[in-house]
Each structure stands twice: as C-alpha cells, then as structure tokens.
Amino acid sequence: MGGHNAGEIASALAVETITQTISEKLDPAGDVEAVLREAFALANRRIDDHGDLNPDAKGMGCTAVGVLGIRQRIYVVHAGDSRAYRL
C-alpha cells in the first residue's frame, strides 16, 4: 500500500502479530489453516485498533503474504494484493 499513512507501523504490527500467533499456537498435527487465518485476522484487528486510537495513523494498512512448509505440505496465506509465486 505504498505511501499510505503509517504503513511502516501497520507492517511492523502485522509481522509481530502473525509470527507471535504462529509460534504460540501452531501444532503441526493440528489445524494449521485455522491458526494461519487466526494470525492474519488478529493482525488486522491490531492494525485497526491502533489506527482508531492514534489519529495520525488513521486509515493505516498493509498487505501481507506468507508461506509455511510443514512436512510435505505448503501453506500460502495472503491479505491484500500481495502475491506468492510458485516457480
């Protein structure tokens, strides 16, 4: 979202929230997709909340893409118009 208000803050919140949620809740034998969805949803809420509480960051946002490999499976998750390519 190049140039959007406080995008660097939104990106930092997204990375922090997604990595923390995955590291705390991921069980490779469990529902990996649910954890990834939860991580991205929580990041979205934290970004929205921060923007609501800080007028100078109102409307901030970011896009994100993640790839996670567990055993023989690859999970791809994204928010916004970021992309992952399989080569």
Side-chain angles (χ1 to χ4, degrees), residues 21-56:
T21 303
I22 290 171
S23 69
E24 290 175 357
K25 297 190 174 193
L26 186 67
D27 174 4
D31 190 347
V32 175
E33 292 176 22
V35 172
L36 294 174
R37 280 192 297 274
E38 179 181 352
F40 271 64
L42 182 56
N44 186 57
R45 281 194 303 277
R46 285 192 66 200
I47 291 166
D48 285 346
D49 290 347
H50 185 87
D52 289 344
L53 295 172
N54 299 282
D56 57 329

